[in-house]
Amino acid sequence: MHVLIVHCHPEPRSFNAALKDMAVETLQRLGYTVEVSDLYAEGFDPAEGPGHYRAPANPEVFTALTEQRHASEAGSLPPDVRREIARLERADLVVFQFPLWWHAQPAMLKGWMDRVFVYGGLYTGKRRYDRGHFRGRRAICCVTTGGPAATFAHNGRGGDINLLLWPMHYSLYYMGYDVLPPFLAHGIQGGGPVYQAQDAFKAQLETYKAGWARRLETLEESTPIPFTGWDDWDERGVLRPGVEGYDYFIRAHP
Ligand SMILES: Cc1cc2nc3c(=O)[nH]c(=O)nc-3n(C[C@H](O)[C@H](O)[C@H](O)COP(=O)(O)O)c2cc1C
């Protein structure tokens, strides 16, 4: 098995980087080959825009979807996007490593998705969701949060983490991936411990690292997050009668 880790954190000494290193070590120990896409270290430009397209379909008006499809067909996608797509094509499993920033993935990772999940190349109107390009492959997010675990429950002030991560997970499903439940490390305060004493905090970090390694060792036991698919929707794109849905975002009843 070949694994791609898309690592999104600006600081090599961060806890996110430690989790990434733990994943590399664990996966290699399991006999997998591992590749890391280190978005900050590699200086990935997350801002989609006309500057990326040397031979645009329309030099007057920039339309991202038009330019992505044109560049994909013409073989003129930006080199960094081509490199990321090649990495994705090689990977049976993709790990996304990132901190929760403003209740979502950092803009760097969102921009990576904006640019790398190329319209026309990696998805079209017909080639998405459970008919997506990467079907049969798996993806998992490893996410750190500043807030403590309790605050990410359904009634916590941090917001239900399953809802916060839904757009990220659904985008991966849109691309065809089987999305495994995330690994979450809560209460990580980059600047130092806030909620706990120093020793307890350090011990907690080690526990999370060991937990992440264990999770990677037992990925085969993970059942993908359920989403509705083409068979569940009618011609208007809404749930057919009798299909309840699996989450708050797409559901039979308001
Ligand atoms: C711009 C920014 C936004 C953040 N937003 C949130 C947030 O919405 N919820 C939360 O729990 N923590 C938030 N945090 C805290 C980070 O999640 C926390 O610093 C990170 O998970 C710690 O991991 P690190 O030490 O590897 O950076 C935010 C931090 C930054 C810098």
Side-chain angles (χ1 to χ4, degrees):
M1 187 164 81
H2 182 69
V3 185
L4 172 65
I5 301 176
V6 178
H7 176 61
C8 181
H9 198 288
E11 172 55 56
R13 285 159 300 180
S14 64
F15 187 56
N16 270 264
L19 289 171
K20 179 260 295 172
D21 292 343
M22 176 57 91
V24 172
E25 198 185 304
T26 305
L27 293 163
Q28 285 177 342
R29 181 164 45 76
L30 292 169
Y32 306 149
T33 51
V34 185
E35 196 170 3
V36 178
S37 201
D38 189 336
L39 304 188
Y40 280 94
E42 292 174 3
F44 186 81
D45 179 357
E48 179 61 301
H52 292 299
Y53 299 91
R54 294 232 174 96
N58 183 344
E60 309 296 328
V61 179
F62 176 74
T63 309
L65 294 182
T66 304
E67 296 306 337
Q68 289 187 358
R69 187 179 54 196
H70 175 71
S72 185
E73 285 167 2
S76 59
L77 283 170
D80 56 351
V81 168
R82 283 212 301 272
R83 181 194 65 217
E84 295 306 297
I85 291 174
R87 287 171 165 172
L88 286 170
E89 296 286 14
R90 284 193 284 272
D92 306 296
L93 169 72
V94 186
V95 175
F96 291 89
Q97 177 66 57
F98 62 91
L100 195 72
W101 280 5
W102 289 113
H103 318 107
Q105 72 273 52
M108 171 63 104
L109 180 53
K110 175 60 168 52
W112 179 91
M113 293 162 73
D114 294 345
R115 292 193 57 220
V116 174
F117 291 161
V118 169
Y119 176 61
L122 295 187
Y123 74 97
T124 63
K126 289 183 178 152
R127 221 157 29 101
R128 48 192 180 140
Y129 306 109
D130 47 349
R131 293 183 198 145
H133 184 83
F134 293 108
R135 67 191 173 282
R137 306 187 195 209
R138 294 176 300 169
I140 184 170
C141 296
C142 180
V143 186
T144 67
T145 73
T151 65
F152 290 95
H154 65 283
N155 57 353
R157 65 165 187 253
D160 184 333
I161 195 69
N162 294 316
L163 299 185
L164 297 181
L165 291 179
W166 192 91
M168 174 77 190
H169 287 153
Y170 197 59
S171 301
L172 296 173
Y173 167 65
Y174 190 97
M175 299 305 297
Y177 286 104
D178 285 333
V179 185
L180 303 180
F183 181 82
L184 303 167
H186 293 293
I188 314 301
Q189 295 291 324
V194 170
Y195 295 100
Q196 305 174 62
Q198 182 79 39
D199 286 354
F201 181 66
K202 280 192 181 150
Q204 183 63 54
L205 295 185
E206 291 308 312
T207 304
Y208 275 133
K209 277 162 60 180
W212 179 218
R214 251 195 328 277
R215 182 71 201 286
L216 291 168
E217 287 163 3
T218 55
L219 274 190
E220 297 307 324
E221 296 163 19
S222 266
T223 307
I225 298 169
F227 294 105
T228 52
W230 287 104
D231 290 346
D232 299 314
W233 308 317
D234 67 14
E235 61 289 343
R236 295 170 305 151
V238 307
L239 293 181
R240 295 182 191 284
V243 179
E244 290 295 317
Y246 298 103
D247 50 60
Y248 192 76
F249 283 83
I250 301 173
R251 60 194 190 278
H253 305 286

